[in-house]
Amino acid sequence: MEKKPHFVRREFPPREQSSVSLALLLVAVLLLNALLYLYLNKSYISLGRAEMDPSLCPFGYFKLGAMKNCSPWLFCEAINREVRKLKCVGEGAVKKVFLSEWKENKVVLSQLTNSELKDDFLHGLKMLKALQSKHVVRLLGYCEKQFTILTEYHPLGSLRGLNETLHIPKYKGMNTWHRRLMLAIDYVSIIQYLHSSPLGTLVMCDSNDLNKVLSQYLLTSDFHILVNDLDALPLVNRSAGRLVKCGHQELQGEFVAPEQCWPYGEEVPFEDDLMPPYDEKTDIWKIPDVSNFLLGHVEGSDIVRLHLFDIHAACKKKDPAERPSAQEVLDTYRKVLTLLIQEVALPGTREML
């Protein structure tokens, strides 16, 4: 009687199967990291716009809307002839702001309202010209003798209206922890830019409470942040022993940094000459409060706050020298974004490895 041949099915031993699974998982992680790199590179550079002027025009020129060619900044004669005021959309201590029109483009015309503050107005113009970049609202022109500045119009307005904007049906899809963290990264990027600007280390002084800070920034239609008001931007120069004081009045409250408060107690009346100056670390103290507003209360925002807890605690150190630099805060924010995207894309990967 013939024996039937036996076909033996080869099976991988458990250890070999485990090795194959691990290898496949590692390949998946490497591919994911490559995709994350491309995505974040696009987020920081393409969506965030290049470090140069976003219009790609040379200094002293601008491009708006559908314009194909760069146009030189507009000066007194051109502004008077070509710019038409539509309505007043805001007024502060220094200037009045008008929604205006130039060659079928909506623009913003700012005019000095208090002659006693003309130095602040001209300082803001000087900063606006010198700091043109992806972080700063686009300058379109100015007329010094008439104390007038022309800038790009952003219909979503100041950062104060962020939560209201995100409740508009058109923008509800933007109301996520990811988009909000990207806004916080934009904000810290601006602080970092000011602290290492072409002019030196600049301090954002017009920031005595949260609403005041938010009013200094604009929200763009593609959901980025630009700094808009540069009237109070003094220079720190440690090597020359030059520190700053934000105004000549006594500052109070938990929002301002401890070193900005009168240090001699209530029994000693405030005197500006006796108030010690300080440096750019006052901006670092305020980062957690601004970021808390930007992160809002959406699904996932508490997880983001948890990951940022240590860096925010460092920002709130009473001794300014112990606080991190804006670059260190920015690096941490970016690492947290990358980490959280990885965790969303491959939940449980860490445990499997």
Side-chain angles (χ1 to χ4, degrees), residues 21-37 342 345-346 348-350 352-353:
S21 299
L22 183 59
L24 290 173
L25 181 59
L26 288 172
V27 169
V29 170
L30 289 173
L31 287 173
L32 176 64
N33 284 336
L35 290 172
L36 280 171
Y37 174 80
Q342 285 177 329
L346 275 183
T349 299
R350 188 175 297 165
M352 293 173 70
L353 291 174

Side-chain angles (χ1 to χ4, degrees), residues 127-143:
M127 295 294 105
L128 197 53
K129 288 191 289 184
L131 299 176
Q132 283 294 289
S133 69
K134 69 171 185 176
H135 302 292
V136 179
V137 69
R138 195 176 308 180
L139 179 64
L140 310 180
Y142 59 91
C143 178

